[in-house]
Amino acid sequence: MSDDFDRIVAVLQETINEDTRAAWGEEAFQRWVAPPNRGALENADGSSLLRGTCGDSMAIFLRFEGERVGAASFETDGCGPSVVCGSIAAEMAVGRTAEEILDISGEEVLARAGQIPEDHHHCAFLAASSLHEAVNSHMHPGPKDG
Ligand code: FES
């Protein structure tokens, strides 16, 4: 019984993977399976947490080294495309100045994502907005506790 259930789950998962790979392309699929830069960043000196109109959240963490971002990461509770786009947005921030990051648009994130379905294009714009918000928090830090 348990073996049958496990086999059914494995077949379903493989079907989902194949459908996703066909719809998104290999690069976005691989990024969804193993997203680089996922998870909170220790000692971040810029961060954000935005909720999109879809109800999903996207966090971006930035650590600056001098004028440029030395490390960046993201976290999301959203859909697969939001994972792909958050990973891309964090990657695009590395090596750039605050001003250069503010120039990164949702369209650019979307273009790098590849074949994200049209009804998920907003996920790229959520990632870009969250990236901008993280820069704003770096440029205009709030009052410190204590
Ligand atoms: Fe909400 Fe993708 S971020 S549907």
Side-chain angles (χ1 to χ4, degrees), residues 54 56 78-79 82 120 122-123 126:
C54 60
D56 297 329
C79 60
S82 76
H120 283 276
H122 67 272
C123 313
L126 176 60

